[in-house]
Amino acid sequence: MESFELRIPQMGEGLQEARVLRFLKEPGDPVARDEAVYEIETDKAALEIPSPVDGRLERWAAAEDDVLPIGALVGRVATELVPAAASRAASAEPAEPDAPLATSAPAAATLTDGPRNAIASPRARAYARDHGVAPETLLEIAARTGRKVTPEDVRSHMAARAAMEGAGADDGMEAYADEPLPSRQRTLVYRLERSARGVVPATIEEPLDWSAVDAARALYKAHARRTGTGAPTPLLLVAWCAARAARAQPALYCAYTREDTLRRYRRLHLGIAVARPGDELVLARVPAADTLEVDAFRQVAEAAVRRARAGEDQASEAMQISVSSLSGSVVRRGIPVIAAPAVGTLFIGAPFEEPQRAPDGGVAWRRVALAAFTFDHRVLNGAGAARYLEELRRLVAALPDTLASLAG
């Protein structure tokens, strides 16, 4: 049996890395030539990658959500016969000693299961040997860090072990322990890094009349008590207005795909940021949010938020605007970031009392919340973004009148 390497393919000029979305086969499964075996995501698209050979999947050498460079090893297929072209391509692949490793090493793996330098550098192995660090521990460090072990990694491991045992590290270093980034945080980082490489962000801000939100919610809660239905949170009321406001700005239905092309969607799909325990952030998705009346929007959004709180990240390529809020905190102002390919993110701060001139010349107070809108300047310009925020402000102020029928 031959062993054929599955590697991240080069899919276009300028692409340097891809994220492993999911595996379509388990180790031991039969694999047919041209059958999709795993799925990746690049800056441009999500793609299913086929196997170039018939055979049986030996193992995966990476983990779902790993971000790998082009050419990195993903898995191996055991095959009776490696096609000549595939064999040449595999043998021509340059060795990558620093390529990311699987985030979980097989239990039976040893330093002799492959080139030793792919697990740890010679200096790291010598340092580990001199300080009594077992070879199996080097495998654990490599799996945890996702790269070839260095002497610094060994020292860090020793310092962390000493700290856990209640003693200081021998070399006087400050004790700390490296730990892998959580899976969903790796996904979020990947999206944000995509945005940082391409998006040209700009941010504008507008106060919203929060007293109108409070009045509208009071109407809705009274209606819910009479009918036994639910009432939306203040954030969902604002999110509904955010989706409706996009109707006046067609550019918000677009996504930037490449230098001379915009992808225009027929409907606006809205994301709602949901915080989970451990400072984890996932997105709930409301499809075709611009077409929904307020109660239908409430039901769809509440169901999506429940799924997000249970751990389902619903982020999609077709989600042009996301809404984020810290209205339950003391944070009044924030500058949101965009996760590509979205065109904008709306941040709603905590409501507060703001002084204003009263008709009699005195001072009155009104309850407001600041809405900051970060938009992709490649798709939308400042005047268009300002019109969007102005329409949002108008719709929020009109909420009590819009929902007046609920009082009947």
Side-chain angles (χ1 to χ4, degrees):
M1 295 287 285
E2 300 276 358
S3 183
F4 181 81
E5 295 180 344
L6 301 174
R7 291 181 175 271
I8 299 290
Q10 176 60 261
M11 293 151 292
E13 184 179 355
L15 290 177
Q16 299 179 356
E17 63 185 15
R19 181 171 69 96
V20 179
L21 285 179
R22 60 192 178 108
F23 296 126
L24 307 178
K25 291 286 186 177
E26 296 290 335
D29 287 350
V31 173
R33 181 177 179 179
D34 296 328
E35 180 183 11
V37 289
Y38 65 100
E39 187 177 2
I40 64 174
E41 181 183 50
T42 71
D43 289 352
K44 301 182 181 298
L47 303 167
E48 290 185 346
I49 305 301
S51 171
V53 296
D54 295 317
R56 189 173 298 277
L57 182 66
E58 285 185 347
R59 67 182 181 91
W60 292 117
E64 291 182 350
D65 287 326
D66 277 357
V67 178
L68 304 177
I70 300 303
L73 180 66
V74 179
R76 293 180 182 274
V77 173
T79 180
E80 293 288 348
L81 180 63
V82 179
S87 179
R88 285 195 300 271
S91 63
E93 191 69 46
E96 292 186 289
D98 291 326
L101 304 170
T103 56
S104 58
T110 71
L111 287 180
T112 61
D113 286 347
R116 294 189 300 169
N117 288 355
I119 298 296
S121 69
R123 286 198 310 119
R125 294 201 310 276
Y127 187 88
R129 184 173 59 250
D130 293 343
H131 289 80
V133 177
E136 292 77 12
T137 303
L138 295 182
L139 279 169
E140 295 173 6
I141 297 172
R144 186 173 68 247
T145 61
R147 54 178 167 76
K148 184 165 65 175
V149 178
T150 66
E152 178 63 28
D153 294 326
V154 179
R155 283 193 291 270
S156 298
H157 171 80
M158 292 169 58
R161 184 179 62 186
M164 288 187 290
E165 293 173 352
D170 292 342
D171 55 9
M173 291 178 57
E174 183 70 24
Y176 65 89
D178 291 334
E179 60 183 44
L181 203 62
S183 171
R184 290 191 180 91
Q185 188 67 14
R186 292 205 307 270
T187 300
L188 178 60
V189 168
Y190 177 75
R191 293 174 187 148
L192 295 178
E193 287 180 343
R194 286 177 62 189
S195 299
R197 288 193 296 266
V199 169
V200 181
T203 303
I204 57 176
E205 187 179 79
E206 177 78 10
L208 303 179
D209 182 359
W210 207 255
S211 61
V213 177
D214 292 335
R217 179 160 161 76
L219 287 172
Y220 221 121
K221 290 175 71 174
H223 170 73
R225 284 193 295 270
R226 290 194 305 271
T227 61
T229 59
T233 63
L235 175 62
L236 287 189
L237 286 173
V238 175
W240 179 68
C241 293
R244 308 285 279 195
R247 292 173 167 183
Q249 187 49 259
L252 293 176
Y253 284 69
C254 296
Y256 188 96
T257 57
R258 57 181 185 270
E259 193 168 316
D260 58 352
T261 305
L262 291 178
R263 178 173 297 159
R264 187 176 300 277
Y265 294 93
R266 292 180 59 248
R267 298 300 182 200
L268 183 107
H269 310 293
L270 189 76
I272 300 175
V274 178
R276 299 186 73 247
D279 197 33
E280 187 176 88
L281 184 68
V282 296
L283 284 174
R285 183 173 184 265
V286 183
D290 60 323
T291 68
L292 301 176
E293 295 301 326
V294 64
D295 202 56
F297 180 91
R298 173 188 66 82
Q299 295 180 53
V300 173
E302 286 177 348
V305 168
R306 282 195 298 270
R307 297 200 308 275
R309 285 176 177 157
E312 180 186 342
D313 190 358
Q314 301 150 46
S316 164
E317 292 289 305
M319 194 159 62
Q320 302 97 311
I321 297 177
S322 295
V323 179
S324 178
S325 173
L326 291 176
S327 57
S329 72
V330 297
V331 177
R332 298 182 181 182
R333 175 175 278 113
I335 300 178
V337 295
I338 302 173
V343 71
T345 302
L346 182 70
F347 172 81
I348 309 299
F352 61 97
E353 300 294 327
E354 179 185 72
Q356 62 178 354
R357 183 180 294 276
D360 61 2
V363 175
W365 295 85
R366 66 167 184 163
R367 187 165 159 81
V368 300
L370 298 176
F373 184 55
T374 297
F375 57 95
D376 188 346
H377 223 315
R378 301 174 304 172
V379 178
L380 187 66
N381 292 324
R387 285 194 296 272
Y388 170 70
L389 268 193
E390 177 60 24
E391 178 65 5
L392 173 64
R393 187 197 62 78
R394 186 189 70 79
L395 290 174
V396 168
L399 270 173
D401 293 335
T402 303
L403 303 183
S405 61
L406 296 176

